[in-house]
Amino acid sequence: MKPFVNEPPLDFSRATHREAMAQALAAAHRAAGMRVPLVLGGERVDLPRTFPSVNPSNHREVLALASEAGESHIQAAVAAALRAQPAWGARPAVERAAVLSRAAQHLRARRMEAAAWITLEAGKPWREADADVCEAIDFLEYYGRQMMHLAAPVALQTEIPGEINECGFRALGLVAVIAPWNFPLAIAMGMTSAALAAGNAVILKPAEQTPLAASLLCDALLAGGVPDGVFSCLHGPGETVGAALVRHPEVGLIAFTGSRAVGLEILREAATVREGQRGLKRTILELGGKNAIIVDATADLDTAVPDIIHSAFGYAGQKCSACSRVIVLQEVLEPLTARLRDATASVIVGPAEEPEVQMGPLIEGEAQARLRGAIERARREGELICAGETGPLGERGFFVPPALAAGLSPSHPLAQEELFGPFAVILPVVSFDEAIEVLNATPYALTGGIQSRTLPNIERAKRECQVGNFYINRPITGAIVGRQPFGGFRFSGIGSKAGGPDYLKQFLVAQTWSENTMRHGFAPLGEAV
Ligand code: NAD
């Protein structure tokens, strides 16, 4: 296998790419109303009971009807997984990696189509939708190769006479993957491909907002040659299908990315031993953030302003890594606030499929109401520096304008709780000490950053800012597989970093083999008795 390289993003400044994307979007609209079946034991299962996937830029458009799994489908998927996993886990890692690599190839071949579906279903502007596809391809290629490194047992203390000691890994068994809608292809594929590369069987429960993106994942894995039963995909509500998978006694690991509230619920459920359960359940929980960028007195505002705007309002702030707090040293408060106000007002908001649009809609009505409520609260309890009007757009889709607030203390709920939308608050500070203190004073520890031209400040921030991913003089979103392993701690999650060298070990159990080689004779060679 060739060494891993990241999938390059498409260049939409090229007319051929723009035209191809426009055609793919037109085709996706024509296909609206398509059915999305379950994947169960290698078969696609279309059920009469469905739920809709709507276009958040235009909620009257039903893009797809997804089959809703029931209890019998969960039991059938578990039974199929238990039958199929041992043979899959016994295959050489290189063969599993080849299956995942073929799945990546399938996605490459459907690159525009995949980006178009994500644009319509998740409300992602073109470049972000394309980045979602690239990341999914990267995960498939990266984890397959990582497993090839981990597959061979490691010999330990080889100088000890009369004894051979080796340590290695084996698959864990059955993994339930529960995924969010905000990277509907990439994150679901990341958790799923890691579990598969490690030799496990997977039952995926995608987010109910994005079944179409999940169907791309299913197509890719089946086209790649994942054996029947090793992978199933069950659509449906988290409260029923997700919760039933979490509770199932045969599930050995729950890989979850989503909200803190659901993550904590999963942690509680996983700790409850149920009849028939054969071991402790593991969890990987990748949760939210309330991420901040510090702007010190020496920052280059020409860089800081676009980096903050990109981090706060890219994909309408619906990234766990999004910047929702801007911590500003008093010396630059005035010019930075003025420039951020103008930059926020200039963000082009509109339907995600329009090529010039920088910020699309929120995912659903509930999120729209939550953000509208936050904007009103900031107006009442602080100062709203900027919040435009979406006009008729706000009726047609789940749009809210990007909002910038000030006049709120760092402990105010709007500066503490994850809102998951295009809302950022400016927090002035009088010293660098205070800047670091404020950055660290939330329950989360996911991403953070500094804009500065003072080396000692940068070095100190690297040491003292308690976040999983820290960025210097650049946006704080957009981690790339293999280059910026991603994940946080505290209430931002437990588990090792996605897209990094330690991630796969969570999907494996380690085993040590210790043999006394001072044998007392041998049985005839090759004969097992
Ligand atoms: P969510 O927690 O509402 O849903 C995530 C998944 O959990 C969905 O598939 C949902 O159906 C399922 N679910 C809901 N209730 C469940 C239950 N009781 N049992 C089992 N499954 C259940 O989150 P969301 O709105 O889809 O995603 C947004 C959240 O995800 C934000 O908090 C964001 O910060 C976080 N996120 C974190 C990362 C990360 O890497 N740390 C990445 C992306 C998103």
Side-chain angles (χ1 to χ4, degrees):
M1 263 192 182
K2 289 188 196 143
F4 171 75
V5 284
N6 294 109
E7 190 67 15
L10 291 174
D11 176 3
F12 287 113
S13 70
R14 284 172 56 185
T16 46
H17 287 169
R18 281 200 307 279
E19 282 155 19
M21 183 65 174
Q23 280 171 14
L25 284 162
H29 280 301
R30 283 197 300 278
M34 71 182 102
R35 297 184 71 87
V36 177
L38 311 180
V39 171
L40 187 48
E43 301 290 322
R44 289 185 167 82
V45 181
D46 190 32
L47 300 172
R49 189 182 165 96
T50 61
F51 63 93
S53 162
V54 299
N55 177 352
S57 298
N58 171 14
H59 42 59
R60 278 192 297 274
E61 185 179 29
V62 173
L63 296 167
L65 293 169
S67 292
E68 183 174 331
E71 181 57 30
S72 64
H73 305 108
I74 295 168
Q75 296 305 344
V78 170
L82 295 181
R83 276 195 304 275
Q85 189 276 326
W88 174 246
R91 276 170 73 171
V94 62
E95 285 185 21
R96 295 196 298 264
V99 167
L100 298 181
S101 206
R102 285 198 297 273
Q105 199 48 39
H106 176 93
L107 279 184
R108 277 188 201 101
R110 294 176 67 190
R111 183 95 185 249
M112 288 291 177
E113 183 192 356
W117 286 12
I118 292 170
T119 290
L120 295 188
E121 189 179 54
K124 284 200 174 187
W126 290 19
R127 280 175 45 206
E128 312 231 26
D130 176 56
D132 208 319
V133 185
C134 287
E135 194 177 350
I137 292 171
D138 281 353
F139 279 132
L140 285 162
E141 298 283 13
Y142 180 80
Y143 289 136
R145 285 168 176 76
Q146 282 292 317
M147 191 57 221
M148 286 161 57
H149 293 306
L150 289 174
V154 176
L156 304 164
Q157 297 195 0
T158 48
E159 70 283 5
I160 307 276
E163 193 173 271
I164 294 175
N165 294 296
E166 287 180 324
C167 200
F169 294 104
R170 62 191 303 150
L172 195 135
L174 174 55
V175 177
V177 170
I178 302 181
W181 48 264
N182 71 330
F183 284 82
L185 186 57
I187 290 184
M189 189 66 98
M191 294 187 285
T192 301
S193 58
L196 291 174
N200 299 293
V202 173
I203 302 177
L204 167 67
K205 208 302 281 172
E208 45 276 51
Q209 295 88 343
T210 49
L212 262 178
S215 75
L216 288 163
L217 175 152
C218 297
D219 289 353
L221 292 178
L222 296 188
V226 174
D228 296 354
V230 166
F231 168 75
S232 290
C233 175
L234 303 181
H235 297 284
E239 297 74 11
T240 54
V241 181
L245 283 173
V246 167
R247 285 197 294 264
H248 201 289
E250 293 288 356
V251 168
L253 165 68
I254 303 140
F256 170 79
T257 305
S259 61
R260 168 177 158 172
V262 175
L264 286 171
E265 171 76 16
I266 288 175
L267 200 55
R268 265 194 304 276
E269 289 289 348
T272 306
V273 178
R274 297 192 162 76
E275 202 184 326
Q277 192 170 323
R278 289 177 294 160
L280 296 171
K281 268 186 206 191
R282 287 194 195 171
T283 57
I284 302 169
L285 305 174
E286 296 174 56
L287 312 178
K290 190 71 182 177
N291 313 301
I293 295 177
I294 295 174
V295 184
D296 83 2
T298 64
D300 177 355
L301 298 193
D302 289 346
T303 314
V305 172
D307 286 354
I308 292 168
I309 295 293
H310 182 85
S311 305
F313 305 134
Y315 189 36
Q318 301 174 108
K319 300 181 190 176
C320 53
S321 52
C323 170
S324 50
R325 300 181 300 145
V326 186
I327 301 168
V328 190
L329 269 291
Q330 204 65 49
E331 294 90 323
V332 280
L333 180 63
E334 225 180 278
L336 183 73
T337 304
R339 291 180 65 171
L340 283 178
R341 177 197 295 119
D342 292 348
T344 303
S346 74
V347 172
I348 302 169
V349 181
E353 68 189 278
E354 305 290 341
E356 72 280 13
V357 158
Q358 292 167 308
M359 198 185 102
L362 297 186
I363 191 70
E364 58 196 357
E366 203 183 307
Q368 188 184 36
R370 183 175 68 243
L371 268 294
R372 281 176 171 166
I375 290 171
E376 281 320 306
R377 188 167 180 190
R379 209 190 296 276
R380 277 196 319 273
E381 296 175 23
E383 182 194 348
L384 208 52
I385 306 278
C386 180
E389 295 295 327
T390 54
L393 267 184
E395 305 306 314
R396 182 172 177 263
F398 304 122
F399 293 93
V400 291
L404 200 59
L408 299 166
S409 87
S411 59
H412 191 282
L414 292 175
Q416 285 288 316
E417 290 162 15
E418 186 186 45
L419 290 161
F420 222 53
F423 182 97
V425 50
I426 296 178
L427 302 170
V429 289
V430 293
S431 66
F432 199 68
D433 285 350
E434 191 188 355
I436 289 187
E437 197 180 305
V438 168
L439 183 138
N440 287 334
T442 78
Y444 295 104
L446 192 50
T447 69
I450 183 169
Q451 294 278 337
S452 170
R453 285 182 286 194
T454 304
L455 278 179
N457 282 359
I458 293 172
E459 286 310 317
R460 191 173 157 205
K462 279 167 71 177
R463 275 196 317 274
E464 296 183 20
C465 290
Q466 296 167 23
V467 295
N469 286 57
F470 193 71
Y471 298 93
I472 300 130
N473 292 328
R474 51 149 287 167
I476 64 169
T477 59
I480 290 176
V481 173
R483 198 183 306 171
Q484 289 120 4
F486 185 80
F489 48 96
R490 291 210 219 130
F491 282 102
S492 293
I494 40 174
S496 45
K497 285 175 177 298
D502 296 326
Y503 188 70
L504 271 190
K505 291 180 190 163
Q506 305 171 108
F507 294 84
L508 293 158
V509 284
Q511 203 171 11
T512 302
W513 300 276
S514 190
E515 180 181 355
N516 171 8
T517 54
M518 306 293 273
R519 297 186 182 91
H520 304 283
F522 293 95
L525 207 59
E527 276 182 35
V529 286

